[in-house]
Amino acid sequence: MSELGAQLLRGGALDEAEPYLRSATSAGDRAAANNLGVLLHQRGYKEEAAGWWRVAAVAGSAAAAHSLGRHHRERGDEPAAEYWLRQSAEQGHVHGAFALADLLEHRGEAGAERWLRRAAEHGHREASYRLARTLERRARETARRARGPVLPGPRRPQPTRPKGAAPVPGPRTPAAGENQGKEQGKARAEELTREAEQWYRQAAARGHRGAALQLGALLERRGKLKEAGRWYLSSAREGETRAACALGFLLRDAGDEENAAVWWLKAAQNGDGNAANALGALHAERGEHQTAERWYRSAMDAGDHNGAYNLALLCAAQGRTAQAEQWYRRAAYAGHREASNALAVMLLQAGDAAGAEPWFSKAAETGSVDAAFNLGILHAGRGDEDGALRWYERAASAGHAEAALQVGMALLREGDERSAERHLRCAAGGGSAEGAYRLAALLDARRPPQGPPRLGESSVAARDESAAWYERAAEQGHRRAQVRAGMLAAERGEVETAARWYRAAAEAGSRNGAFNLGLLLAREGGEPEAALWWRRAAEAGHGRAALRLGLFFARRGELEESQHWCDAAVAAGPGEVAERAGRLREALREELSA
């Protein structure tokens, strides 16, 4: 009777199954009591169903204990739910183990992972997925602890520190045991990640689309893009919109924009704002602005504030300033930090510094490095150097190269070369041409004066670190660095290199570059070409170049032309040049009047 009732129940014939199950239950069959509870629960008689589950659970039915535990949890009676779910789990019921883990995890109690693992080991795919998520979170936390806090380096004293502020800690060198602990932490984090990957694979292989998505993301972070794409595809085909969106980005990065757009479209039509933004950006790049705007609006409708920010960027690029400000404001009010910064920049450019400052502050407080730097500029413009420096230091600590440059220059003005060098290195390493030039100049100033070479030594200067930084800045188009790089190359006897740097500076408008290039060409026998570059420098107000032209034309007998450039040299200076040019001018006048 119990077996027949169970078969009829599975077939959906509830009316036919009930008499058999009741008869078998009356005869003491616990499986029948459990199935009778299932039947009554399906009919909506939840309390009567719970009564029969209790009968079966007391008789040792793990399935009934699981159902009874879930019944109590639905009613909010968590102690009773835990009791019966634990009875079920301890008897080896897979669903009972998972339900107990879910309850313990919900309450934040220990033991959830143990029961998730028990269920996962018996093939429960949701348990496998949840266990993998738990292990991945632990791996991230372990890796974070292994990295440790970021310790600030030495800083200058702060005479204007607010009252009650804690002193700034000095530099600290990790002990050997601490480094060993960090390595162990990293190894443990990697071990947890590998185990998480195994459980994701188990769940994904059983058709869990969320596990396939997470497995794809994990593999993508490891650079295994082909395998990641296969799992994204598997998840996307099962209807996971986030996987479809991620697959689109993977295809876009591989150069397949056409198929990327297909998957973004699937995801966007299912309400994925990130995919809608991606479609908007794709159409914007193609110049299809109306279509791009439609997708950005779809992203906003999906609750993605990046849509408003991207729409503002689109309007700003088209010169629609009023609309851009409107969308920046919408995104900024929703907490979009880059929109807050962009709105502040727009207000500042319109002359509304008072309106810009709160938005810069909001963006900076939520982590925008650019906003912190812009606040530094705002305070500097008001003459508030201390306020500017505080914001520059904040941006510099987050890796902003130009902010590090400003801090380094402030420290140089105060005479703290050691701290200044540290910040200038950050600026130069972050790509600041001015930072590289300032660092090179600082190192250059420390070079001992070049005396005459000792017996057996080369007279050619060696290339040092300052030369490397000058060249780094010169390669980025820094004119003063190009001139200095040329001078150092000339000292080393590298004439072609020196000429290349002088010429680059001169063509960019550097009068010193033009003058030095002329000197180099004159020494190499190319005085007529040298005169062309001296003329360019002299016309820009370079006194020494004007004096050289005066001498050049005097030797050629063009006395009036020579006198013209002597007049220019006297006017431009400096004093020594003006004096020599004046003597030459008087001699020319005597010659002309003779």
Side-chain angles (χ1 to χ4, degrees), residues 132 135-136 192-201 218:
L135 292 169
E136 196 171 18
L192 288 168
T193 303
R194 285 197 299 270
E195 187 181 0
E197 180 183 341
Q198 293 173 0
W199 290 114
Y200 278 139
R201 286 186 183 279
L218 191 152

Side-chain angles (χ1 to χ4, degrees), residues 25 29 36 86 95 104 152 164 179 182 197 249 267 272 279 288 320 337 420 451 466 477 497 510 568:
T25 298
D29 189 276
L36 180 58
R86 194 174 292 278
H95 296 289
L104 295 174
N179 286 331
K182 287 183 177 181
E197 180 183 341
F249 282 110
D272 191 292
L279 281 172
E288 301 166 357
R320 296 153 58 192
R337 68 185 187 189
S466 66
T497 302
S510 169

Side-chain angles (χ1 to χ4, degrees), residues 65-191:
H66 166 242
S67 298
L68 186 58
R70 292 186 60 186
H71 169 76
H72 283 296
R73 186 172 180 188
E74 288 172 4
R75 293 179 59 191
D77 187 356
E78 291 190 357
E82 182 182 353
Y83 174 81
W84 288 110
L85 291 175
R86 194 174 292 278
Q87 293 293 320
S88 173
E90 288 176 350
Q91 292 179 63
H93 194 275
V94 175
H95 296 289
F98 174 72
L100 176 60
D102 184 67
L103 176 62
L104 295 174
E105 192 173 61
H106 169 72
R107 286 158 55 174
E109 296 181 8
E113 184 179 333
R114 170 196 169 196
W115 292 109
L116 279 177
R117 190 177 294 274
R118 178 80 63 87
E121 287 171 348
H122 286 82
H124 194 290
R125 72 176 191 179
E126 182 65 24
S128 300
Y129 170 69
R130 296 266 289 273
L131 176 59
R133 296 282 287 181
T134 300
L135 292 169
E136 196 171 18
R137 282 194 298 271
R138 282 176 54 199
R140 285 195 295 268
E141 179 61 24
T142 302
R144 187 191 63 78
R145 287 198 303 268
R147 286 193 299 270
V150 177
L151 298 169
R155 289 179 55 189
R156 62 185 177 84
Q158 296 283 346
T160 58
R161 183 182 296 126
K163 292 181 180 179
V168 178
R172 172 173 170 270
T173 304
E178 185 178 346
N179 286 331
Q180 183 180 1
K182 287 183 177 181
E183 291 302 319
Q184 290 174 347
K186 290 177 184 177
R188 177 58 179 158
E190 181 58 32
E191 181 184 345

Side-chain angles (χ1 to χ4, degrees), residues 477-480 482-483 501-515 533 536-542:
H478 195 289
R479 292 187 301 179
R480 285 178 295 170
Q482 288 169 338
V483 172
W501 287 125
Y502 287 149
R503 192 178 298 276
E507 289 175 348
S510 169
R511 62 186 189 179
N512 285 328
F515 175 68
W533 290 105
R536 182 180 291 194
E539 288 173 348
H542 197 288

